[in-house]
Amino acid sequence: MFAKILIANRGEIACRVIRTARKMGVRTVAVYSDADARSLHVEMADEAVHIGLSPVGESYLRGDKIIAAALATGAQAIHPGYGFLSENPDFVDQVVAAGLIFIGPSAASIRAMGLKDAAKRLMEKAGVPVVPGYHGEAQEIVLLASKAREIGYPVLIKARAGGGGKGMRRVEHPDEFSEALSSARREAKAAFGDDRVLVEKYVDRPRHIEVQVFGDDFGNAVHLYERDCSAQRRHQKVIEEAPAPGMTEALRKAMTDAAVKAAKAINYSGAGTIEFIVDASQGLKADRFWFMEMNTRLQVEHPVTELVTGTDLVEWQLRVASGEKLPKAQSEIALVGHAFEARIYAEDAAKGFLPATGTLHHLKFPDAASEGATMRIETGVRAGDAISPYYDPMIAKLVVHAKGRLAALEALGAALSRTEIAGSTVNTAFLAAFAADPDFAAGDVDTSLIGRHQGTLTTVPPPSDETIAAAALAASGAGATPSSDDPWSSLVGYAHFHSVARRTWLKFGEDDIAAKVSVRADGRFQVALDKPYGDTNSHDFRATPRLARWPGHITVFEGAVGYTFAVPDPLARADEAAASTGSLRAPMPGLVKLVRVGKGDTVIKGQPLLILEAMKMEHTIAAPHDGVIAEIATEGAQVTDGTVLVRFVEEHNAATTAVS
């Protein structure tokens, strides 16, 4: 076994590899860019080496720097994770030439499966079924259009070097073929530097089912059953599960046999995935699946396979790469229970799943799964980390396992509803809505299901009055832990003749919200919302609901939805009010610590008038405009929010005073 390995990746997969390596007594070296200097994978590794600037082309795609880091630190092997250089055969050649071991397949195996058209021709020779279509080298438009007519519309144009839906176009009619081809070629060229395409029959109700395979250098190859990855948006996976719902024994045997045959055809060693497209229009049948492509690396969704087979695929990778045989024979690999993985992203589902950025000011996952289920969180971030625009915006993978599919799905929904993230737009509400979708719950899933239901799945209801009231309570500071030096918290639960009230303001989207927070004699907080949210509605709280306070904002969690409210600066609001009314009111309860002007003084805009001590801080109250002081609070006075601190002489009186 290796003594030390270098991980040529970042984020959750780097952390995932480090955990297994540590368990096996293998030391780890992390690499990092400028943006990742303080990231979790750097903190977890035994050593870390800086390899360049934040853009991937200056860091994680610099094979020369990664190999140099491995040699300098004495690492014996390089684990590529997924993405970046994991399926780059030239990098594998460079690793081997440097006297290091690549923890993955050979460069020859990667090349054999690297281009979709060549891989499909190879699979045809090996007896693996492939989608009817044209996978040849010739790329003349006349030939491609002719092949499309032979196949029969609708057809799918696919970039031969593609992935993630890039360079892919569905064509319904011959008249649309030319324009679709041009568009697919432009996108493929930009994404992969290769504009060559293949043309295939479009399957109306496609299921994306893949088989995990594993080989070693002794000619052994096994499968670890299948995963269903049909839940996709924009051709990218969202929720994966194992085993596939509705899978028959006949289809499972046919698919797993074909997958192992494919792996053996290229003498495959290491972890790999054979992806199939399945026609589900008439149910799952053993003669209605076709080879789509092979991923010659560990998949993002590998944890669901680990949970249903009781294996650690990263451990298998390290053992096989170090020269050992496969840890288990096919007969020793059992399929137990059901597992789901939900990919939690920083993205705006309502805006077409656009990636988002931001700082994760609050990040909290459930401590455990619901009864009868197990759960694991795969993440590469912590609270306080930033979601960088340079990399994939994945925050975490939430993975659950239970005895049956419905129990696992319920556990997934429950875990998502207890996940709290604030500081960036995230997709937890969408994931929870999809987990509860009746068709998905019934196992009636195909790759277009999310697209068909997207409007419903991405629509978030407005916050309830209770949620708004909770945000107002938090904004007032009344729900904070009592502190001896916080003048408001000292009043919690106390009222002299009448309850102490605090005025607070919020902003939700474009809506301005005002509320009054008071403390009842029994210690509960009462929140009354102004119109249009109902000034007659009051909400009593004995404890603060699930929420997170972060700079200038409050996020209240209602199930899997996080409603974020902006909290306007109370001093700015006080200035606005003063400008329109001629008086300055206390924006919060506090102590008048220092008074700097007196009655009759002429002041100019921005001049400090007094110091208000509140919320453990000193706040300078400045003049919102030029004027003359008519009245000012007494130094040492304890005031509540809304108390008049400064009153200005009205303009016509001020003018008379100035003349006289």
Side-chain angles (χ1 to χ4, degrees), residues 360-365 379 381-384 395-396 419-422:
L360 301 175
H361 291 285
H362 179 82
L363 181 64
K364 182 180 179 182
F365 298 107
T379 185
V381 296
R382 302 148 298 187
I395 295 172
T419 297
E420 300 176 5
I421 304 173

Side-chain angles (χ1 to χ4, degrees), residues 50-69:
H50 178 252
I51 54 171
L53 302 176
S54 299
V56 293
E58 298 296 325
S59 51
Y60 297 106
L61 292 181
R62 288 293 302 271
D64 56 336
K65 290 188 175 183
I66 290 170
I67 291 170

Side-chain angles (χ1 to χ4, degrees), residues 171-423:
V171 188
E172 297 283 349
H173 191 273
D175 292 344
E176 304 168 359
F177 187 84
S178 178
E179 183 176 346
L181 176 63
S182 297
S183 177
R185 280 177 164 167
R186 286 193 302 271
E187 190 170 273
K189 183 69 173 178
F192 313 112
D194 185 344
D195 66 356
R196 286 170 289 185
V197 301
L198 47 86
V199 182
E200 295 179 344
K201 177 66 180 174
Y202 181 82
V203 180
D204 286 325
R205 287 291 305 276
R207 289 268 295 273
H208 181 141
I209 301 177
E210 59 190 32
V211 176
Q212 176 73 59
V213 294
F214 222 108
D216 63 22
D217 292 326
F218 300 90
N220 302 307
V222 298
H223 70 80
L224 291 95
Y225 299 97
E226 81 281 353
R227 298 184 287 258
D228 194 303
C229 305
S230 302
Q232 302 179 8
R233 86 286 190 267
R234 295 189 286 109
H235 302 290
Q236 295 181 336
K237 301 165 187 175
V238 173
I239 293 180
E240 302 98 341
E241 59 181 301
M247 176 61 71
T248 66
E249 286 303 318
L251 178 57
R252 175 173 290 140
K253 178 170 174 45
M255 291 184 73
T256 54
D257 285 352
V260 172
K261 188 184 296 183
K264 288 186 174 181
I266 57 171
N267 300 313
Y268 196 78
S269 179
T273 300
I274 309 296
E275 299 193 352
F276 296 101
I277 189 166
V278 182
D279 183 355
S281 60
Q282 298 177 5
L284 299 182
K285 296 183 177 180
D287 62 346
R288 302 296 290 171
F289 75 96
W290 303 280
F291 172 85
M292 191 162 53
E293 63 182 345
M294 181 178 189
N295 286 301
T296 53
R297 54 170 169 78
L298 198 66
Q299 291 280 86
V300 177
E301 59 272 19
H302 76 273
V304 295
T305 293
E306 293 183 320
L307 290 178
V308 296
T309 59
T311 57
D312 184 332
L313 295 179
V314 174
E315 179 180 342
W316 282 33
Q317 284 186 301
L318 297 182
R319 293 195 180 282
V320 167
S322 66
E324 297 181 22
K325 290 185 177 181
L326 287 174
K328 290 184 179 181
Q330 189 66 68
S331 60
E332 299 175 291
I333 304 171
L335 181 62
V336 180
H338 204 99
F340 283 94
E341 174 183 290
R343 302 187 186 189
I344 300 176
Y345 279 99
E347 65 180 13
D348 193 336
K351 294 182 178 178
F353 303 100
L354 287 175
T357 57
T359 298
L360 301 175
H361 291 285
H362 179 82
L363 181 64
K364 182 180 179 182
F365 298 107
D367 294 328
S370 52
E371 187 176 354
T374 58
M375 178 188 70
R376 75 191 230 194
I377 303 294
E378 299 284 356
T379 185
V381 296
R382 302 148 298 187
D385 286 352
I387 301 299
S388 167
Y390 295 104
Y391 314 117
D392 183 88
M394 180 186 286
I395 295 172
K397 302 183 306 194
L398 194 159
V399 195
V400 297
H401 178 257
K403 288 183 178 179
R405 186 175 188 271
L406 288 180
L409 192 58
E410 288 177 5
L412 178 68
L416 286 167
S417 70
R418 302 199 309 274
T419 297
E420 300 176 5
I421 304 173

Side-chain angles (χ1 to χ4, degrees), residues 9-10 30-39 41-42 49-56 58-60 388 390-391:
N9 218 297
R10 63 176 302 279
V31 292
Y32 64 93
S33 67
D34 286 352
D36 284 337
R38 297 181 180 177
S39 63
H41 79 279
V42 171
V49 179
H50 178 252
I51 54 171
L53 302 176
S54 299
V56 293
E58 298 296 325
S59 51
Y60 297 106
S388 167
Y390 295 104
Y391 314 117

